[in-house]
Amino acid sequence: SSMAKDEARELGARAEQAEGRAKIAEAARNKYHKELLAERQARLRALSQLEKRSSETRSALQGESARRRQAEEKGDKATALAEAAAAEAEDLKRRLSASESQRAAESAAAATAAEATAAA
């Protein structure tokens, strides 16, 4: 009977120790879980910041691309206008030159006619 009591006491003590170890293990598990959760949240925040930066960069690139396209379109329009103006200037020079040639010819013809009249 005393042996049974000793055995029961020993089993009780072991059970308490096992309970203590279980509580320590549970606390360690909870701590580890909290650390994992904190790490995961930190990673999610970092990822979110990267996505935000990526989105900002994408927007900036799209804006820059649009500005470049507009600048090229303006440049193309300016080039077209300059070419049209140059062509118009050439045309005007040709007309002016033709007009001066015609006037010179008319002038020469008038002079010849005047000489002919004077000679007669």
Side-chain angles (χ1 to χ4, degrees):
S1 169
S2 135
M3 228 168 99
K5 281 182 187 170
D6 286 347
E7 209 175 299
R9 258 197 304 275
E10 193 181 319
L11 284 176
R14 278 195 202 157
E16 276 180 32
Q17 286 174 349
E19 252 180 58
R21 283 195 302 273
K23 281 181 183 171
I24 290 169
E26 177 73 13
R29 193 181 68 80
N30 286 341
K31 184 181 177 210
Y32 178 68
H33 180 70
K34 275 184 188 169
E35 286 170 0
L36 277 182
L37 200 61
E39 200 177 299
R40 182 171 180 262
Q41 287 171 338
R43 272 201 222 107
L44 284 173
R45 274 193 304 275
L47 182 63
S48 172
Q49 287 173 346
L50 280 174
E51 284 173 344
K52 185 180 172 195
R53 255 184 258 137
S54 171
S55 173
E56 288 168 355
T57 302
R58 193 176 309 113
S59 292
L61 284 172
Q62 285 171 347
E64 183 55 36
S65 175
R67 280 190 291 279
R68 200 174 300 127
R69 226 181 1 261
Q70 286 174 342
E72 283 172 8
E73 286 170 9
K74 281 183 186 171
D76 290 348
K77 282 180 190 169
T79 300
L81 286 172
E83 286 171 356
E88 189 178 354
E90 276 303 310
D91 185 47
L92 288 172
K93 273 192 221 163
R94 267 196 307 277
R95 283 200 221 159
L96 182 63
S97 178
S99 167
E100 284 173 352
S101 296
Q102 188 178 351
R103 245 182 285 144
E106 285 170 0
S107 191
T112 304
E115 283 172 19
T117 307

